[in-house]
Amino acid sequence: MRALSINGSPPLSLQRGASGAKLLLIIAATMLVTAGLTFFIIRTYIFPSPLTPVSLNAKEEQQLDQKLTQLGWQVEPRSTVTASSGDSRAANNASADSDELTPEAYREFDADRQVTFSEKEVNSMIGRNPDFAQRVAIDFSNNLASAKMLIPIPDDFPIMAGEILRVNTGLDIHLDANRRPVVALVGVSLMGVPIPNAWLGNMKNVNLVGEFGDRGFWNAFADGVDDIQIRDGELSIKLRK
């Protein structure tokens, strides 16, 4: 017995079969998309993988060490380690120590008061500390310094014990009309969810220098900075005389 056909259209049984196949395909595609999004959310927010530390090449390392030395940091000399490099490394260290102890007259130059760090250099400095190498990453954009942090939750904590908490935060950093530094908290998010300002003690968009600058760290910071700029990918600081 042949299936009925109306006005030359496919038989009703074939139409129902095609509709059922389309429905199954839609359900399967929805399940795949949902599974993919769930996996992405779990890997990115609930169980984020460690951050990749930033490394510099030899020339970039030398430039960074010069900047840190300019700011007064004691930088240990680095040399390429090979099977027979022990003697040369010791000689380099002795030469560096000798240079540091060479008597010289004290001088000040305006160019020495201004230092610019790239985003890569800052993340490289963070990567030198094994406690933060895979847990903190800094981003610079116009007037905004952002940080991504992976914070381990203590094993005795009642919720998500032993897991990693993903925290993002941003600071607005610029100079005001009086050429005084402004450092303001833009916001904080946990697992991608912004934290309400009330939970942050109503500190969002509050100038920390103006609020706490009458004493202590913020006052000394403001008095010692002549100019500070954060541009896309770099931080520039000029110290006062």
Side-chain angles (χ1 to χ4, degrees):
M1 182 175 180
R2 300 179 59 184
L4 296 177
S5 175
I6 301 176
N7 297 327
S9 60
L12 293 178
S13 59
L14 294 178
Q15 291 182 6
R16 293 193 187 96
S19 299
K22 290 181 180 179
L23 180 60
L24 289 176
L25 287 175
I26 293 174
I27 294 175
T30 303
M31 292 176 63
L32 288 175
V33 171
T34 302
L37 289 175
T38 302
F39 177 79
F40 173 78
I41 292 173
I42 291 175
R43 290 290 300 166
T44 304
Y45 295 103
I46 299 179
F47 304 115
S49 58
L51 303 176
T52 303
V54 175
S55 59
L56 304 177
N57 58 39
K59 183 178 180 180
E60 292 171 334
E61 284 279 5
Q62 185 179 11
Q63 293 174 345
L64 175 58
D65 289 346
Q66 290 175 350
K67 295 177 182 180
L68 294 176
T69 302
Q70 182 177 336
L71 290 177
W73 265 277
Q74 183 72 23
V75 179
E76 295 182 1
R78 294 175 178 81
S79 59
T80 302
V81 179
T82 60
S84 60
S85 64
D87 294 338
S88 62
R89 181 169 56 185
N92 290 336
N93 291 343
S95 176
D97 292 340
S98 177
D99 292 340
E100 291 174 359
L101 295 176
T102 301
E104 61 180 21
Y106 177 77
R107 294 171 295 178
E108 288 188 0
F109 300 98
D110 287 340
D112 293 338
R113 295 190 178 91
Q114 184 162 356
V115 182
T116 299
F117 291 100
S118 69
E119 179 182 299
K120 186 177 181 180
E121 289 174 332
V122 172
N123 283 299
S124 174
M125 286 188 285
I126 294 174
R128 293 180 180 181
N129 188 323
D131 294 331
F132 300 104
Q134 296 181 315
R135 299 191 182 280
V136 179
I138 302 297
D139 176 84
F140 292 142
S141 56
N142 291 333
N143 295 334
L144 180 65
S146 303
K148 179 190 295 182
M149 296 171 285
L150 301 181
I151 301 176
I153 300 177
D155 293 333
D156 57 351
F157 199 74
I159 300 176
M160 296 180 64
E163 302 298 341
I164 301 297
L165 183 66
R166 182 173 178 267
V167 180
N168 291 73
T169 185
L171 291 175
D172 178 14
I173 303 177
H174 64 277
L175 293 180
D176 62 13
N178 297 321
R179 304 293 296 177
R180 295 281 290 179
V182 173
V183 179
L185 178 66
V186 175
V188 178
S189 64
L190 299 180
M191 299 298 190
V193 180
I195 302 302
N197 190 23
W199 293 5
L200 298 173
N202 295 316
M203 293 300 296
K204 290 179 65 174
N205 301 315
V206 174
N207 182 11
L208 301 177
V209 178
E211 190 75 11
F212 306 103
D214 57 338
R215 63 188 182 279
F217 167 79
W218 291 112
N219 183 52
F221 172 77
D223 290 343
V225 174
D226 184 58
D227 188 18
I228 183 170
Q229 295 183 23
I230 294 183
R231 298 180 288 269
D232 188 19
E234 68 177 20
L235 165 66
S236 179
I237 301 176
K238 183 177 181 180
L239 305 179
R240 295 184 186 274
K241 295 182 178 180

